[in-house]
Amino acid sequence: MRLVRPLENLIDQLVKLPTIGPKTAQRLALFLLKVPEDEAKALAEAILEVRLQVFPCSVCGYLTDLDPCYICQDAKRDKNIICVTEEASDVISIERTGYNGQYFVLNKEFHVMEGHDLDEINLDSLEDKLASGEIKEVILAFNPDVDGEIMARYLASIAEAHQVKVTRLAHGLPVGGDIEFTDELTLRRAIEGRYEFME
Amino acid sequence: MRLVRPLENLIDQLVKLPTIGPKTAQRLALFLLKVPEDEAKALAEAILEVRLQVFPCSVCGYLTDLDPCYICQDAKRDKNIICVTEEASDVISIERTGYNGQYFVLNKEFHVMEGHDLDEINLDSLEDKLASGEIKEVILAFNPDVDGEIMARYLASIAEAHQVKVTRLAHGLPVGGDIEFTDELTLRRAIEGRYEFME
């Protein structure tokens, strides 16, 4: 089966995106051919614009279009607490919880099995903050897996060298979760982390 | 939660695509920010290019970048048989079967419940072909639903006015399907369409 080259090319580009398989890519490409031209153009321009205008904040590493980002500039936020995440997407999730402190985003994938090295992560701006004495607590918000564990230990050793308290996100039952279907490790952590019942 | 405007805008554009929900749109947008700039640009340019270079063939309505399309230009294809489809995507599927005739793509959605009118479908080029006497058979390849049935009857009446044989795609069990889980109507059609066993 031959498709015309520009259509084939668009499908090839779409299939590189996460969650998009060949069938969905074909469907999206045909959709982009069928919608009013303005709509297709708006998507193409939004992609170009995001690459031109959005970059990591020089202070915290979160995504921003002005530097420092609005979180770093916000005088009402707690300057004594900093939450370290691997990705900007983690900040988006944590912001929804109402957390009101600072962030530090590593913006660097770390997979020990792929031979990544912890030294490759640029922690200069975090170390400056820790050295300044402003930070009283570092929250390590890494995914609960092997790579997250390795990063957490590494970051913890650095924070402790500056005598700063280090905390981690709690493990336990997801809200709305079911004990029967919770894996053993999570349930063990939920028992270890049990807290006093208060009415 | 506030995202920077260009990122918010990209997510808004992505969410308009079929099969893309808000979570996937956010994931795709962050992915497009993370990949090398060339890759993001290649996608944006592929979208713009497909709109500039791809259009419906003036003869058959299939998607092409030269007019008439490669199917209409192919001297080796059977000129006596024409397959009528609603969308270009149907042609892509039918081409994979090895079908070697002509096509006529309506390129017009028809939903009787939304008040669409059959007169809105431009059949001029199909009627010219039927009038020329070249076509010996019209295959109606519409989806097996109410709208497809209405379009099929309409197209059949036109083809029959030109004394051209009209056929439809067979209904029956999907290959690899299971009789137990086949709906009643499909099974009834499979029985009606039964054919002689040959070894």
Side-chain angles (χ1 to χ4, degrees):
Chain A
M1 175 56 202
R2 250 169 63 198
L3 288 175
V4 288
R5 201 200 46 76
L7 188 56
E8 194 88 71
N9 178 37
L10 177 55
I11 293 171
D12 289 348
Q13 297 302 329
L14 287 166
V15 109
K16 292 180 186 168
L17 300 175
T19 79
I20 309 287
K23 284 215 168 182
T24 307
Q26 178 183 306
R27 186 166 168 197
L28 296 179
L30 291 171
F31 177 86
L32 286 168
L33 261 170
K34 212 162 67 174
V35 292
E37 191 163 1
D38 285 356
E39 284 183 38
K41 271 193 179 167
L43 172 58
E45 279 156 15
I47 295 168
L48 296 172
E49 198 186 59
V50 89
R51 291 302 304 230
L52 275 178
Q53 300 187 0
V54 180
F55 51 89
C57 169
S58 65
V59 180
C60 74
Y62 183 51
L63 298 170
T64 184
D65 53 355
L66 36 97
D67 200 28
C69 75
Y70 78 94
I71 295 177
C72 290
Q73 283 192 27
D74 188 345
K76 289 191 199 125
R77 294 186 75 116
D78 189 340
K79 302 286 177 198
N80 300 324
I81 187 163
I82 193 161
C83 177
V84 185
T85 74
E86 190 177 353
E87 304 262 17
S89 53
D90 302 325
V91 174
I92 297 176
S93 299
I94 294 167
E95 276 293 275
R96 289 206 188 96
T97 67
Y99 167 81
N100 196 37
Q102 309 297 306
Y103 289 101
F104 185 77
V105 185
L106 302 184
N107 277 328
K108 182 99 191 164
E109 281 185 40
F110 174 76
H111 301 296
V112 69
M113 293 299 280
E114 291 171 22
H116 292 177
D117 200 330
L118 288 162
D119 293 342
E120 290 164 20
I121 303 173
N122 182 356
L123 297 174
D124 292 351
S125 125
L126 179 65
E127 294 213 57
D128 289 349
K129 279 202 175 180
L130 290 172
S132 77
E134 195 182 50
I135 305 292
K136 305 296 178 218
E137 179 180 351
V138 175
I139 304 175
L140 300 176
F142 299 129
N143 288 324
D145 54 23
V146 173
D147 297 320
E149 194 60 33
I150 294 172
M151 283 194 293
R153 280 162 197 244
Y154 180 63
L155 269 292
S157 69
I158 291 169
E160 279 159 5
H162 290 92
Q163 278 100 44
V164 174
K165 177 178 162 191
V166 181
T167 59
R168 307 190 56 173
L169 298 184
H171 294 288
L173 299 176
V175 177
D178 192 319
I179 292 175
E180 183 181 353
F181 301 115
T182 302
D183 68 284
E184 204 178 292
L185 191 59
T186 304
L187 199 52
R188 195 184 307 153
R189 296 282 186 95
I191 293 170
E192 285 165 9
R194 67 193 180 277
Y195 59 100
E196 211 167 328
F197 188 83
M198 284 184 293
E199 281 188 287
Chain B
M1 175 56 201
R2 250 170 62 197
L3 289 175
V4 289
R5 201 201 46 76
L7 188 56
E8 194 86 73
N9 178 35
L10 177 54
I11 293 171
D12 288 349
Q13 297 301 330
L14 287 167
V15 109
K16 290 179 186 168
L17 299 176
T19 77
I20 309 289
K23 285 214 165 182
T24 306
Q26 178 184 307
R27 187 165 168 200
L28 295 179
L30 292 171
F31 176 86
L32 286 168
L33 261 171
K34 213 162 65 173
V35 291
E37 191 164 1
D38 285 356
E39 283 182 38
K41 269 193 181 169
L43 172 59
E45 278 155 16
I47 295 168
L48 296 173
E49 198 187 60
V50 90
R51 291 303 303 230
L52 275 178
Q53 300 187 0
V54 179
F55 51 88
C57 170
S58 64
V59 179
C60 75
Y62 183 52
L63 298 170
T64 185
D65 54 356
L66 36 95
D67 201 29
C69 74
Y70 77 93
I71 295 176
C72 289
Q73 283 192 28
D74 187 345
K76 288 190 201 128
R77 294 186 75 117
D78 189 340
K79 301 286 178 198
N80 300 323
I81 188 163
I82 193 161
C83 176
V84 185
T85 73
E86 192 177 351
E87 305 262 15
S89 53
D90 302 325
V91 173
I92 298 175
S93 299
I94 293 168
E95 276 292 277
R96 288 204 190 97
T97 67
Y99 167 81
N100 196 39
Q102 309 297 305
Y103 289 101
F104 186 77
V105 185
L106 303 183
N107 276 328
K108 183 99 191 164
E109 282 186 38
F110 173 76
H111 301 296
V112 68
M113 294 299 280
E114 290 171 24
H116 292 178
D117 201 327
L118 288 163
D119 293 341
E120 289 164 22
I121 303 174
N122 182 356
L123 298 175
D124 293 350
S125 124
L126 179 65
E127 294 214 56
D128 289 348
K129 279 201 176 182
L130 291 173
S132 77
E134 196 181 48
I135 304 291
K136 305 297 178 216
E137 179 179 350
V138 175
I139 304 175
L140 302 176
F142 300 129
N143 288 324
D145 55 22
V146 173
D147 297 320
E149 194 62 32
I150 294 171
M151 282 195 294
R153 279 163 198 245
Y154 180 63
L155 268 291
S157 70
I158 291 169
E160 279 159 3
H162 290 92
Q163 278 99 45
V164 174
K165 180 178 162 189
V166 181
T167 58
R168 307 188 58 170
L169 298 184
H171 294 290
L173 300 177
V175 177
D178 191 321
I179 292 175
E180 183 181 355
F181 301 115
T182 302
D183 68 284
E184 204 178 291
L185 192 58
T186 303
L187 200 52
R188 196 185 306 154
R189 295 283 186 95
I191 294 170
E192 285 166 6
R194 68 193 180 278
Y195 60 98
E196 209 164 331
F197 189 82
M198 284 184 296
E199 282 188 288

